[in-house]
């Protein structure tokens, strides 16, 4: 049975508040690992991630489905 295949690539850029250089050499690997870990829990595959002092570039692919319980983020949790 034929099926269509698609892959969605996203280039996401996160910026620090007011583009101030808050990301240090010491926090860079911790921050990158944290983002990759959160994404992995949602089924998102990280192709590349790089943190600059004032912003982060993240190239990733989306899974075929994202469940409703993961689509809303509440920072109070």
């Amino acid at each position: 049975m034929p099926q269509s295949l698609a892959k969605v690539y996203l280039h996401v850029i996160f910026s620090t508040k007011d583009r101030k250089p808050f990301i240090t050499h010491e926090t860079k690997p911790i921050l990158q690992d944290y983002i990759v870990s959160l994404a992995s829990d949602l089924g998102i595959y990280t192709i590349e991630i790089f943190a600059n002092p004032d912003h982060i570039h993240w190239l990733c692919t989306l899974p075929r489905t994202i469940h409703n319980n993961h689509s809303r983020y509440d920072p109070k949790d």
Side-chain angles (χ1 to χ4, degrees), residues 22-30 53:
F22 291 131
I23 303 171
T24 65
H25 290 292
E26 293 80 25
T27 60
K28 178 180 173 177
I30 298 167

Side-chain angles (χ1 to χ4, degrees), residues 38-54:
L38 286 178
S40 180
D41 290 345
L42 296 173
I44 298 171
Y45 176 72
T46 298
I47 298 169
E48 189 67 46
I49 188 166
F50 186 78
N52 291 293
D54 63 349

Side-chain angles (χ1 to χ4, degrees), residues 5-71:
L5 299 175
K7 188 172 274 197
V8 177
Y9 290 89
L10 293 179
H11 178 208
V12 182
I13 301 171
F14 297 101
S15 175
T16 60
K17 186 171 182 171
D18 298 325
R19 297 286 296 218
K20 292 186 179 176
F22 291 131
I23 303 171
T24 65
H25 290 292
E26 293 80 25
T27 60
K28 178 180 173 177
I30 298 167
L31 182 59
Q32 291 177 160
D33 290 345
Y34 181 71
I35 292 171
V36 171
S37 174
L38 286 178
S40 180
D41 290 345
L42 296 173
I44 298 171
Y45 176 72
T46 298
I47 298 169
E48 189 67 46
I49 188 166
F50 186 78
N52 291 293
D54 63 349
H55 68 283
I56 297 170
H57 289 268
W58 178 38
L59 181 63
C60 60
T61 61
L62 291 181
R64 290 181 61 92
T65 59
I66 297 177
H67 301 287
N68 287 337
N69 58 345
H70 290 124
S71 63

